[in-house]
Amino acid sequence: MTCAQPTRIRTVPSLPWVFVLAALGGCVSPRPMHTESLASHAEAGWRNEIPHDESSAAKDVAEWWRTFDPTLAALATRALAANLDLAVARERVVEAQARRGIVSADRKIQIDAEGSYLHAATGDQALAFAAPPPGVEKNLYAAGVVAGWELDLWGRVGRLVDAARADSAAAIERYHGVAVSLVSELALAFIDVRALDRRLSLVKENVELQQRTLDLAEARLAAGNGPELDVMQARRLLRRTSARVPELQRAKAVAENRIAVLLGTRPADGLVPDGDLPSDVCPVEMGLPAELIARRPDIRQAMYAYESALLRTEAADLERLPQVRLNGTFKLSADNLGDFKDNATIYSIGPQISFPLLDGARINATVSVRQSQADQARLVLEQALLRAIEEVENAAVGYMRRRAQVGELEKAVEAARRSEEMADQLYRAGLRSLDQSVDAQRQLVEAEDDLVVARQQMLGETVRLYRALGGGWEQLALEGDKTVGSNAADAPAPPEKSSREREDEGA
């Protein structure tokens, strides 16, 4: 009887078949980013645009905080070095870059070293197919390496690597956004402290002025030349003005505490030295809404998030195609450690192909989930641009209206000051009553306080305009941490490049 010859199984595919798979893999095109709505929002001009003559003297938007006050510039440097929110954002960048390294490892060959020891025995009457012969007891030592490499013919792993790269870029943009918000909040708190300082100074000046008025009224009453009603009115105005001091001091302490936290330290005295309000800083040229896409970190972050979601959708869709792996092993196996020689080798190498047949519609559901996430990311991107435009419009109209208000209040203060001087002179000459002098003093106090508040609000709108325009994140990235996003090799590819183009460049 002739035994049938065993069927010979080929473990290495023919070269033409490999070329066909590679060619098919190159035909998988990436999904496009749908940004038509972004273009429609960005093409129109501004509804409220600052006139050119008001913004022509502005300095570079990348250093806008330096135009306010040298003290603010020094505080910003401290905050960028020690703020804890910024440190958290920096660590998230490190985390995202590390996650990218985890995903990138799937594109490289994986080699594991292994070793084993086995003591096996088979009884005289036992029957076994993977054991020593009956009645034999053996030791088995083995050591070697196991290697595997996914060819990624269709680019599935490449999409995941690109998605991780986009996530890393989004984390860097989030860091930039935190830095912009940090300096903006610091500038607003700094303006509050300086404004409250000025308001406290005005209140104290007017308290002294009203105290002299009260002394004069009391002297007239004692000499029999004035009524007691004048004394009561002057005393009431003095007490009312003095009652404003505690509230202003409370507000100043709150602003100083905010600055301390932004600097990453405990609240303390002397963080902000005394000084005047920053001068009237003209805002930067607004440009076009389309420029916000390049300047605003939150919009850039949303764009990278959209790109990452699309790439993950592609990767999920590519799970339908076969996965090809090259596996190999090399081992030394013997019943004695001293017998590890060339003739004790065991090795194998060959491809492994797997593809889904029945998965219960898992892949379809996964693709639907990823596609929905990509659509959500696109909507978030569109909403981010609309909110950015809204913030710029609000800050621009706020700045222009506050600037006009400051101009009118400056005239009002000048008129109130002249009126108070004339009323005081007439009162001392006995030609006017104390009521008129007291009323003129009250109007001057209110006008001066209104002017300081209006200047504070105008400077606040200027800061908000710089923040809304995305100003300063390039400079902040350099000052905050020169290691974050500064390495050109680690910089993510721009969203408009396709996954296949970046993969070819990497090759």
Side-chain angles (χ1 to χ4, degrees):
M1 179 177 180
T2 303
C3 296
Q5 295 293 328
T7 304
R8 186 179 301 273
I9 301 177
R10 301 187 60 181
T11 59
V12 179
S14 61
L15 289 179
W17 183 59
V18 174
F19 291 149
V20 170
L21 289 178
L24 289 176
C27 294
V28 181
S29 59
R31 294 171 182 249
M33 297 181 67
H34 297 286
T35 56
E36 297 82 2
S37 57
L38 294 181
S40 63
H41 295 321
E43 286 175 356
W46 299 108
R47 178 187 179 190
N48 300 286
E49 187 169 2
I50 299 176
H52 180 70
D53 56 346
E54 292 190 15
S55 59
S56 58
K59 294 185 178 180
D60 187 3
V61 67
E63 297 182 343
W64 64 264
W65 64 93
R66 300 187 187 279
T67 64
F68 276 72
D69 189 278
T71 302
L72 175 60
L75 291 174
T77 301
R78 290 181 56 186
L80 292 170
N83 180 262
L84 297 180
D85 288 334
L86 191 60
V88 172
R90 187 183 300 115
E91 289 302 318
R92 286 175 177 169
V93 172
V94 175
E95 176 189 355
Q97 292 176 343
R99 290 183 180 276
R100 185 182 67 183
I102 294 174
V103 178
S104 299
D106 291 339
R107 306 182 75 174
K108 303 174 183 178
I109 186 171
Q110 309 292 319
I111 300 178
D112 296 326
E114 62 179 29
S116 64
Y117 164 73
L118 178 66
H119 179 80
T122 304
D124 293 338
Q125 301 300 322
L127 179 61
F129 295 99
V136 178
E137 187 174 349
K138 284 285 186 180
N139 294 320
L140 180 62
Y141 299 89
V145 293
V146 178
W149 179 36
E150 183 175 349
L151 296 182
D152 195 27
L153 298 174
W154 323 111
R156 182 186 64 85
V157 178
R159 262 60 166 193
L160 295 177
V161 172
D162 286 345
R165 185 182 294 111
D167 290 340
S168 177
I172 294 176
E173 297 303 334
R174 188 183 302 112
Y175 167 83
H176 292 159
V178 173
V180 170
S181 297
L182 166 62
V183 178
S184 300
E185 291 183 27
L186 181 65
L188 291 174
F190 176 81
I191 292 170
D192 289 345
V193 171
R194 287 291 174 84
L196 290 166
D197 268 338
R198 179 57 180 157
R199 295 180 68 185
L200 281 169
S201 177
L202 286 174
V203 170
K204 292 177 181 179
E205 290 177 5
N206 283 281
V207 165
E208 295 176 358
L209 176 63
Q210 292 168 14
Q211 182 63 54
R212 290 197 300 267
T213 302
L214 175 60
D215 294 342
L216 179 60
E218 290 176 343
R220 287 179 178 272
L221 177 62
N225 296 328
E228 184 179 1
L229 179 61
D230 290 351
V231 176
M232 294 297 103
Q233 288 178 338
R235 185 172 296 159
R236 175 176 58 83
L237 181 61
L238 175 62
R239 298 298 177 231
R240 181 179 178 182
T241 303
S242 300
R244 299 177 58 192
V245 174
E247 174 58 25
L248 294 176
Q249 291 175 335
R250 182 203 67 82
K252 180 184 175 183
V254 170
E256 290 175 336
N257 293 341
R258 181 57 182 159
I259 290 177
V261 173
L262 293 175
L263 295 178
T265 184
R266 289 175 55 86
D269 296 330
L271 288 177
V272 181
D274 295 336
D276 296 329
L277 268 174
S279 59
D280 182 10
V281 182
C282 295
V284 71
E285 190 76 34
M286 293 173 59
L288 298 174
E291 298 177 8
L292 293 178
I293 299 176
R295 290 197 309 207
R296 289 266 304 212
D298 58 337
I299 298 179
R300 293 164 60 88
Q301 175 188 343
M303 185 168 291
Y304 280 119
Y306 180 32
E307 180 192 16
S308 175
L310 284 176
L311 290 168
R312 285 188 166 83
T313 304
E314 295 175 20
D317 201 15
L318 290 174
E319 290 185 2
R320 309 177 193 274
L321 301 178
Q323 296 185 13
V324 181
R325 291 182 58 87
L326 291 179
N327 298 320
T329 61
F330 179 84
K331 293 183 179 181
L332 297 174
S333 179
D335 58 359
N336 193 304
L337 291 176
D339 292 339
F340 277 177
K341 299 178 181 179
D342 293 340
N343 57 1
T345 59
I346 301 175
Y347 70 90
S348 64
I349 184 172
Q352 175 185 349
I353 303 175
S354 63
F355 54 91
L357 291 178
L358 296 175
D359 64 347
R362 179 189 62 83
I363 294 180
N364 290 337
T366 302
V367 172
S368 298
V369 169
R370 296 300 187 191
Q371 184 60 55
S372 176
Q373 292 173 344
D375 292 338
Q376 294 173 42
R378 176 179 53 82
L379 295 174
V380 169
L381 173 58
E382 295 176 9
Q383 184 69 2
L385 178 59
L386 288 178
R387 287 178 177 173
I389 294 175
E390 177 192 14
E391 291 176 6
V392 174
E393 294 281 8
N394 292 343
V397 70
Y399 168 79
M400 291 188 292
R401 299 299 176 262
R402 295 298 181 187
R403 187 182 179 90
Q405 183 183 24
V406 167
E408 294 298 325
L409 287 175
E410 287 175 345
K411 299 175 182 178
V413 167
E414 183 63 27
R417 185 176 291 111
R418 180 59 180 161
S419 176
E420 188 274 334
E421 292 174 354
M422 295 177 61
D424 183 66
Q425 292 174 359
L426 292 174
Y427 173 71
R428 292 177 184 276
L431 301 178
R432 289 291 186 273
S433 66
L434 183 62
D435 289 343
Q436 293 174 316
S437 177
V438 169
D439 186 64
Q441 293 174 5
R442 178 184 58 80
Q443 291 179 3
L444 176 60
V445 171
E446 293 178 353
E448 290 179 335
D449 189 70
D450 290 343
L451 177 58
V452 173
V453 172
R455 284 177 174 169
Q456 175 188 3
Q457 293 173 341
M458 182 184 67
L459 290 172
E461 295 294 349
T462 305
V463 172
R464 295 184 184 93
L465 180 58
Y466 278 114
R467 181 173 60 185
L469 291 173
W473 68 262
E474 304 94 339
Q475 184 71 15
L476 294 173
L478 294 176
E479 294 187 2
D481 186 349
K482 295 184 179 182
T483 64
V484 177
S486 59
N487 190 346
D490 292 337
E496 60 270 13
K497 283 192 176 182
S498 67
S499 173
R500 178 59 60 182
E501 289 173 342
R502 288 192 299 272
E503 188 173 334
D504 294 340
E505 290 176 356

